[in-house]
């Protein structure tokens, strides 16, 4: 009986001594999902339309953009990327005015309830215009244009994924793809975006 009691006491003591060691076993901590203050990539797609003389010769078109964003300070970020758009000619109804743009946009806005971010932005961009085919009787030529984009939008974040919508008005401050005129036109776009923060 004494021997059995000794074994039982030893087992109980060992269990009590091992309990703190088990309790102190480190647990793997999960990292919080990246917020709006993290870098990320976004794909955007939407519609475009021109004003002025260019708008009178083209219809509503489409755009596709790939952008990278980096934070600068709290509430301020910089977007850098590519945007391409295509607007078909109004008359004759064949051919397209293609636009390839590289640009930079500074975005400013607060983060609301950790998931919403309204913003406004302004920047600069350089575009290459390429009308195709070249024999449709329009006055457009291959050439360059300098733009000042002005944007406003709203983004929503769920974990590290973002979705948003924005409207952008691009003021054409210099161009050589369209004939000289008092109102060559500016470009308006509305689009949806889907992105990822890292």
């Amino acid at each position: 009986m004494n021997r059995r009691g000794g074994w039982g006491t030893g087992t109980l003591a060992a269990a009590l001594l091992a309990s703190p060691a088990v309790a102190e076993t480190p647990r793997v901590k999960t990292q919080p999902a990246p917020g709006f203050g993290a870098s990320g990539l976004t794909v955007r797609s939407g519609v475009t339309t021109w004003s002025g003389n260019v708008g009178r010769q083209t219809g509503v078109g489409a755009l596709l953009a790939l952008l990278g964003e980096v934070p600068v300070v709290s509430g301020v970020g910089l977007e850098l990327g590519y945007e391409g758009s295509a607007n078909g000619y109004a008359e004759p109804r064949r051919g397209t005015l293609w636009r390839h743009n590289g640009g930079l946009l500074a975005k400013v806005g607060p983060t609301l309830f950790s998931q919403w971010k309204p913003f406004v932005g302004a920047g600069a961009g350089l575009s290459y215009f390429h009308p195709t085919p070249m024999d449709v009787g329009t006055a457009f030529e291959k050439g360059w244009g300098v733009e000042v984009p002005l944007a406003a939008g709203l983004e929503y974040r769920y974990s590290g994924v973002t979705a948003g919508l924005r409207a952008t008005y691009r003021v054409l401050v210099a161009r050589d793809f369209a004939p000289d005129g008092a109102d060559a036109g500016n470009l308006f776009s509305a689009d949806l975006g889907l992105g990822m923060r890292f």
Side-chain angles (χ1 to χ4, degrees):
M1 295 294 293
N2 293 337
R3 181 174 297 178
R4 290 181 180 177
W7 280 108
T9 303
T11 303
L12 179 60
L16 291 174
L17 291 174
S19 296
V22 172
E24 292 175 2
T25 302
R27 296 181 179 180
V28 178
K29 294 183 178 180
T30 58
Q31 294 294 326
F36 285 114
S39 299
L41 292 174
T42 301
V43 177
R44 294 174 26 236
S45 183
V47 295
T48 63
T49 184
W50 284 89
S51 66
N53 293 336
V54 180
R56 284 188 283 273
Q57 297 188 59
T58 59
V60 175
L63 72 87
L64 181 65
L66 177 62
L67 304 171
E69 182 174 349
V70 294
V72 180
V73 295
S74 178
V76 180
L78 285 180
E79 278 187 355
L80 178 66
Y82 165 82
E83 179 179 299
S85 64
N87 293 78
Y89 300 137
E91 290 293 341
R93 296 188 179 280
R94 63 187 182 91
T96 304
L97 177 62
W98 296 90
R99 167 180 158 273
H100 303 278
N101 172 268
L104 179 70
L105 183 77
K107 296 168 53 180
V108 180
T111 299
L112 306 177
F113 310 110
S114 77
Q115 290 183 299
W116 295 92
K117 189 175 186 67
F119 68 88
V120 294
L126 179 65
S127 289
Y128 177 69
F129 297 91
H130 185 193
T132 59
M134 298 293 292
D135 60 346
V136 295
T138 69
F140 301 133
E141 299 178 351
K142 295 180 181 179
W144 297 89
V146 178
E147 304 172 3
V148 175
L150 306 172
L154 177 67
E155 293 178 339
Y156 173 76
R157 179 185 67 84
Y158 179 77
S159 188
V161 178
T162 60
L165 54 87
R166 75 170 66 184
T168 306
Y169 188 71
R170 296 177 176 273
V171 181
L172 202 64
V173 296
R175 81 285 185 280
D176 62 5
F177 75 98
D180 292 335
D183 182 21
N186 300 310
L187 185 64
F188 174 80
S189 64
D191 59 79
L192 300 175
L194 185 64
M196 180 72 72
R197 301 280 172 160
F198 305 102

